[in-house]
């Protein structure tokens, strides 16, 4: 298996068009293709720079010529979940006709889209990428051969990986910033470069506050890490 990550610019995709004109982004990992209608149905998260940007983005998306159907499922503040169908784009058609398959979520913002695509052989990948160049612009961000054992290991441990990601999401902004700066500054190195005092001065808080933020952040991450370690070992 060859795994390719691409930064894709399509000229017939309503999601990409919307991000060019409005401060919104899209993220989707669930989709279905309907071959008879040649349409792609997606439940997709939409994030706006603010509530007004989200309003304008959703309005533009729903009115796009290539949008077959649109339904707002949920909304909270500057985020929304929609269910939509779009007509098959040229890039989608090329990937499908060449037996390529999606291996990761779509991430769309600022007029381009991150695609994760798998191919069974190097020859198929080369032919597909060449054909994509005719009507689309893209940059290959990474290209990696995945052997059978690694692919099996990835599938077997995907829940553990998700648990680690969820642990990162549990961090508050302050905890995340404190941990990042502590690592960058060498607080966990031997000997230490950064200290509680230097970190406290940098964040303009007390040493006790820095210590608490570090401990809370470490606890949240390490709880997830130890659980995942046990699962992977098993």
């Amino acid at each position: 298996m060859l795994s390719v990550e691409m930064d894709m610019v399509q000229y017939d995709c309503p999601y990409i068009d919307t991000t060019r004109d409005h401060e919104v982004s899209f993220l989707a990992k669930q989709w279905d293709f309907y071959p008879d209608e040649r349409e792609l149905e997606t439940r997709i998260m939409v994030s706006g720079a603010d509530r007004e940007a989200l309003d304008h983005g959703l309005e533009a998306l729903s009115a796009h010529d290539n949008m077959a159907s649109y339904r707002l499922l949920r909304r909270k503040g500057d985020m929304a979940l929609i269910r939509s169908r779009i007509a098959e784009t040229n890039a989608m058609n090329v990937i499908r006709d060449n037996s390529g398959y999606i291996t990761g979520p779509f991430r769309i913002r600022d007029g381009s889209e991150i695609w994760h695509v798998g191919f069974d052989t190097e020859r198929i990948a080369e032919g597909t990428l060449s054909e994509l160049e005719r009507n689309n612009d893209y940059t290959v961000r990474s290209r990696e051969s995945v052997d059978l054992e690694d692919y099996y290991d990835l599938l077997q441990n995907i829940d553990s990986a998700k648990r680690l990601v969820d642990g990162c999401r549990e961090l508050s902004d302050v905890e995340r910033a404190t941990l990042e700066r502590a690592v960058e500054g060498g607080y966990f190195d031997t000997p230490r470069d950064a200290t509680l005092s230097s970190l406290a001065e940098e964040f303009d808080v007390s040493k006790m506050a820095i210590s608490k933020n570090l401990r809370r952040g470490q606890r949240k991450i390490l709880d997830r890490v130890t659980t995942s370690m046990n699962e992977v070992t098993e």
Side-chain angles (χ1 to χ4, degrees), residues 2-121:
L2 183 69
S3 179
V4 179
E5 180 180 313
M6 295 182 287
D7 191 344
M8 172 72 69
V9 178
Q10 302 182 79
Y11 298 102
D12 53 356
C13 175
Y15 307 117
I16 289 179
D17 285 348
T18 301
T19 66
R20 289 194 186 102
D21 300 326
H22 302 279
E23 291 184 284
V24 294
S25 61
F26 298 92
L27 174 62
K29 67 175 183 178
Q30 181 279 331
W31 58 278
D32 291 301
F33 185 74
Y34 295 86
D36 291 342
E37 298 90 349
R38 302 200 71 80
E39 292 177 352
L40 182 76
E41 181 178 274
T42 310
R43 286 173 179 80
I44 188 165
M45 292 293 304
V46 192
S47 176
D50 50 41
R51 294 176 64 94
E52 184 177 5
L54 181 62
D55 287 337
H56 293 320
L58 293 178
E59 182 179 353
L61 181 69
S62 62
H64 195 281
D65 291 341
N66 208 25
M67 183 64 64
S69 67
Y70 167 92
R71 180 184 174 191
L72 177 63
L73 299 177
R74 289 192 296 277
R75 173 172 177 166
K76 183 176 181 180
D78 57 6
M79 299 188 69
L81 175 64
I82 65 172
R83 179 177 180 176
S84 59
R85 276 198 190 192
I86 66 172
E88 183 179 41
T89 64
N90 172 266
M92 289 159 46
N93 177 259
V94 171
I95 295 294
R96 291 186 62 258
D97 281 356
N98 286 276
S99 301
Y101 42 93
I102 301 300
T103 60
F106 296 102
R107 300 177 185 273
I108 312 165
R109 64 181 181 182
D110 300 329
S112 68
E113 181 174 13
I114 302 301
W115 279 28
H116 300 87
V117 185
F119 301 97
D120 291 332
T121 67

Side-chain angles (χ1 to χ4, degrees), residues 82-234:
I82 65 172
R83 179 177 180 176
S84 59
R85 276 198 190 192
I86 66 172
E88 183 179 41
T89 64
N90 172 266
M92 289 159 46
N93 177 259
V94 171
I95 295 294
R96 291 186 62 258
D97 281 356
N98 286 276
S99 301
Y101 42 93
I102 301 300
T103 60
F106 296 102
R107 300 177 185 273
I108 312 165
R109 64 181 181 182
D110 300 329
S112 68
E113 181 174 13
I114 302 301
W115 279 28
H116 300 87
V117 185
F119 301 97
D120 291 332
T121 67
E122 183 81 28
R123 181 183 62 80
I124 292 175
E126 287 297 334
T128 305
L129 294 176
S130 177
E131 189 174 344
L132 279 172
E133 288 181 338
R134 299 174 189 171
N135 297 292
N136 307 275
D137 290 328
Y138 68 87
T139 301
V140 174
R141 297 178 53 165
S142 66
R143 183 177 181 139
E144 181 180 5
S145 294
V146 182
D147 63 30
L148 198 60
E149 290 81 4
D150 288 340
Y151 189 51
Y152 178 79
D153 191 46
L154 173 65
L155 295 178
Q156 187 178 38
N157 294 299
I158 194 167
D159 288 339
S160 297
K162 181 180 182 302
R163 200 163 283 113
L164 289 174
V165 172
D166 289 341
C168 293
R169 288 176 176 151
E170 287 180 358
L171 294 172
S172 69
D173 291 341
V174 172
E175 291 164 354
R176 181 180 293 107
T178 304
L179 279 174
E180 287 176 350
R181 190 65 198 99
V183 172
E184 292 168 358
Y187 178 80
F188 298 104
D189 293 347
T190 303
R192 286 180 174 175
D193 289 330
T195 64
L196 287 179
S197 296
S198 65
L199 291 171
E201 183 177 349
E202 186 171 344
F203 283 92
D204 195 23
V205 296
S206 68
K207 287 197 298 182
M208 181 177 293
I210 282 291
S211 179
K212 286 182 177 179
N213 289 332
L214 282 173
R215 288 201 305 271
R216 283 197 297 261
Q218 290 177 82
R219 184 174 63 251
K220 289 178 181 179
I221 295 298
L222 290 175
D223 282 348
R224 299 283 185 163
V225 169
T226 53
T227 300
S228 298
M229 285 171 57
N230 291 333
E231 291 174 347
V232 170
T233 300
E234 293 171 1

